[in-house]
């Protein structure tokens, strides 16, 4: 990887990590550590000063009403108190933001129109290769001291070292849900799920890759068809692809005729699948953002009898990040927003299912009692179990190099099959 000379802990060198964790430390620290903390504080004060009056353009998927409302009604007002204007730029695909960055870089623009991007996975990897992201800045954020530097979901993004090039924002866990009013004995493994679908034709389907949710479903199916996550190398190679995917595509081809509408068509995305599920046309839905299920059920958008399907082998988990464009016009303001978004107050607000319902990236054990209380006060969900339960036996995301070939292979071998 292009950052192999950096440490795998959010790109924070050992001394830098100690410096960050020492911010706000109690009296008694050695003089060198104290001096380092004072320097870090002074540097951050300079960032705050430079950020005043800046307008930060955050490019993010615009199809999530709760996410949009959180930015507009919670995060943006908090940024305004720091004299930073946060402007949400809705997009349909993260690639749109990445392509804009790359086009402006090619044109020689150093005052790019993209500041922050909600990003992870293949888009982050592609941007890294093209030097689209600013790096070595996450460790300078004061709230980085609340991150666990060995958390695998934060150290790597789809197998690519994050290297201080994107600020952790929230965690996610791939989750299937079912209507408990219709299923009294739901499946407990992926193999049982596929068997259930074959036994109940037309009652199951999944979004078509390259939709994000459909794509991760195919990766889950790869783990299952390969006999377990331990049998699939994280790093992509053509030989591994050629060896493992025949069983995957055979499984999905065999399932096709049992899907909704006989597999002649697939939902475009999760939102379309949710509508089929809510309308009683299928008995399952799926999401990579399970914390939002609580609000969807409360609002009547999903059946009140919706339950999370807990699978014995676990499911894939990952994290989302805020990437800073290398040519951002308002980089100081972007850093202030990223730090604010990582604060205990914002992380707790965002975790509230009535606000957005996203799992925190913070290590709550590192927080003060008052900040821990913010998370302890969050309402329990009748639908979604705690993150610790959802993430039990969590499977790692495959390296981003797998994503494109698997999606293309699905379209060729499954969608295109007779």
């Amino acid at each position: 990887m292009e950052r192999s000379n950096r440490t795998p802990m959010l790109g924070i060198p050992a001394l830098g990590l100690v410096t960050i964790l020492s911010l706000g430390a109690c009296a008694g620290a050695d003089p060198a550590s104290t001096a380092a903390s004072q320097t870090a504080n002074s540097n951050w004060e300079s960032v705050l000063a430079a950020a005043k009056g800046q307008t930060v353009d955050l490019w993010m998927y615009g199809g999530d009403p709760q996410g949009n409302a959180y930015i507009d009604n919670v995060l943006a007002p908090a940024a305004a108190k720091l004299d930073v204007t946060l402007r949400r730029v809705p997009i349909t695909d993260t690639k749109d933001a990445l392509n804009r960055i790359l086009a402006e870089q090619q044109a020689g623009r150093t005052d790019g129109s993209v500041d922050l991007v909600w990003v992870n996975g293949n888009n982050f990897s592609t941007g890294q290769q093209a030097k689209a992201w600013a790096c070595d800045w996450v460790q300078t954020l004061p709230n980085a001291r609340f991150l666990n530097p060995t958390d695998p979901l934060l150290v790597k993004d789809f197998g690519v070292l994050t290297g201080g090039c994107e600020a952790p924002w929230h965690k996610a866990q791939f989750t299937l849900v079912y209507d408990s009013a219709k299923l009294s004995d739901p499946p407990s493994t992926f193999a049982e799920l596929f068997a259930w679908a074959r036994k109940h034709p037309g009652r199951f389907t999944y979004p078509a890759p390259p939709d994000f949710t459909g794509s991760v479903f195919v990766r889950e199916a790869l783990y299952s068809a390969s006999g377990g996550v331990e049998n699939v190398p994280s790093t992509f190679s053509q030989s591994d692809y050629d060896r493992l995917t025949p069983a995957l595509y055979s499984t999905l081809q065999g399932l096709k005729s049992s899907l909704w509408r006989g597999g002649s068509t697939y939902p475009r995305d999760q939102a379309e699948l949710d509508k089929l599920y809510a309308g009683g046309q299928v008995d399952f839905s799926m999401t990579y953002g399970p914390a939002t299920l609580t609000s969807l059920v409360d609002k009547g958008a999903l059946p009140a009898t919706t339950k999370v399907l807990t699978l014995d082998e676990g499911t894939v988990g990952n994290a989302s990040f805020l990437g800073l464009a290398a040519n951002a016009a308002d980089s100081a303001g972007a850093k202030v927003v990223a730090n604010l978004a990582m604060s205990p107050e914002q992380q707790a607000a965002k975790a509230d299912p009535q606000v957005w319902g996203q799992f925190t990236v913070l290590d709550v054990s590192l927080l003060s009692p008052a900040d821990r209380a913010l998370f302890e006060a969050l309402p329990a969900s009748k639908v979604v179990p705690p993150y610790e339960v959802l993430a039990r036996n969590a499977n790692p995301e495959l390296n981003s190099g797998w994503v494109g070939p698997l999606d293309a292979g699905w379209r060729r071998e499954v969608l295109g099959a007779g």
Side-chain angles (χ1 to χ4, degrees), residues 355-405:
V355 177
W356 195 2
Q358 296 288 0
F359 300 120
T360 184
V361 293
L362 304 182
D363 184 340
V364 178
S365 69
L366 299 176
L367 303 181
S368 69
D371 286 337
R372 282 198 300 272
L374 296 175
F375 293 91
E376 293 166 356
L378 291 172
S381 172
K382 297 178 182 179
V383 181
V384 184
Y387 175 75
E388 293 73 20
V389 175
L390 277 178
R392 190 172 295 156
N393 298 326
N395 300 326
E397 269 289 10
L398 292 172
N399 185 277
S400 61
W402 278 96
V403 177

Side-chain angles (χ1 to χ4, degrees), residues 17-352:
L17 178 60
V18 171
T19 299
I20 291 167
L21 294 178
S22 69
L23 292 176
C26 61
D30 64 82
S33 176
T34 301
S37 295
Q38 291 173 344
T39 299
N41 285 332
S42 176
N43 290 341
W44 184 247
E45 289 298 324
S46 298
V47 173
L48 287 172
K52 289 186 180 299
Q54 290 190 345
T55 296
V56 174
D57 289 305
L58 168 59
W59 289 50
M60 59 180 281
Y61 173 63
D64 183 338
Q66 277 190 285
N68 295 341
Y70 163 71
I71 297 298
D72 296 344
N73 302 329
V74 181
L75 186 58
K81 292 180 180 179
L82 299 173
D83 200 13
V84 175
T85 299
L86 177 58
R87 184 164 55 197
R88 178 175 57 85
V89 181
I91 52 178
T92 57
D93 193 317
T94 306
K95 290 179 182 178
D96 297 341
L98 180 57
N99 289 338
R100 175 65 68 89
I101 295 170
L102 296 177
E104 291 181 346
Q105 282 184 326
Q106 189 172 19
R109 284 192 59 177
T110 58
D111 59 342
S113 58
V114 181
D115 295 310
L116 289 175
V117 183
W118 179 15
V119 67
N120 74 349
N122 208 37
N123 289 305
F124 171 68
S125 176
T126 300
Q128 272 296 78
Q129 296 173 34
K131 302 186 185 304
W133 311 118
C135 291
D136 296 322
W137 61 277
V138 176
Q139 63 268 33
T140 69
L141 305 180
N143 287 323
R145 69 189 186 275
F146 299 130
L147 302 173
N148 178 351
T150 63
D151 187 332
L153 293 188
L154 308 186
V155 170
K156 289 184 177 181
D157 182 352
F158 279 65
V160 178
L161 291 173
T162 52
C165 302
E166 51 180 357
W169 200 20
H170 52 253
K171 292 183 178 180
Q173 195 73 33
F174 179 68
T175 302
L176 289 130
V177 299
Y178 68 100
D179 189 341
S180 62
K182 299 177 180 178
L183 281 79
S184 58
D185 185 23
S188 59
T189 66
F190 271 96
E192 290 180 7
L193 174 65
F194 296 153
W196 184 95
R198 288 190 290 270
K199 189 176 179 180
H200 301 84
R203 304 305 300 173
F204 179 81
T205 191
Y206 57 94
D211 168 73
F212 189 78
T213 305
S215 182
V216 69
F217 176 81
V218 170
R219 297 195 293 278
E220 291 282 13
L222 174 64
Y223 282 151
S224 177
S226 301
V229 60
E230 66 277 5
N231 296 322
V232 183
S234 174
T235 302
F236 177 82
S237 73
Q238 189 62 46
S239 61
D240 287 328
Y241 177 90
D242 294 341
R243 175 173 59 88
L244 294 171
T245 55
L248 163 69
Y249 296 135
S250 176
T251 297
L252 296 180
Q253 287 168 0
L255 185 67
K256 186 175 180 180
S257 63
S258 299
L259 298 178
W260 172 71
R261 292 189 176 176
S264 62
T265 186
Y266 291 79
R268 181 180 60 254
D269 51 26
Q270 179 197 326
E272 191 169 300
L273 176 58
D274 280 348
K275 290 179 181 178
L276 295 178
Y277 170 67
Q281 295 192 55
V282 296
D283 297 326
F284 290 84
S285 190
M286 59 191 71
T287 178
Y288 219 149
T292 61
L293 293 169
T294 302
S295 177
L296 291 174
V297 170
D298 287 346
K299 294 175 180 177
L302 296 181
T305 47
T306 294
K307 286 191 176 181
V308 165
L309 185 69
T310 304
L311 298 176
D312 294 344
E313 66 262 53
T315 59
V316 168
N318 76 11
S320 286
F321 301 82
L322 293 175
L324 172 58
N327 65 339
D330 300 289
S331 60
K335 292 175 183 177
V336 168
V337 169
N339 184 65
L340 178 64
M342 204 190 296
S343 68
E345 295 82 4
Q346 287 294 320
Q347 288 281 304
K350 184 153 59 75
D352 188 331

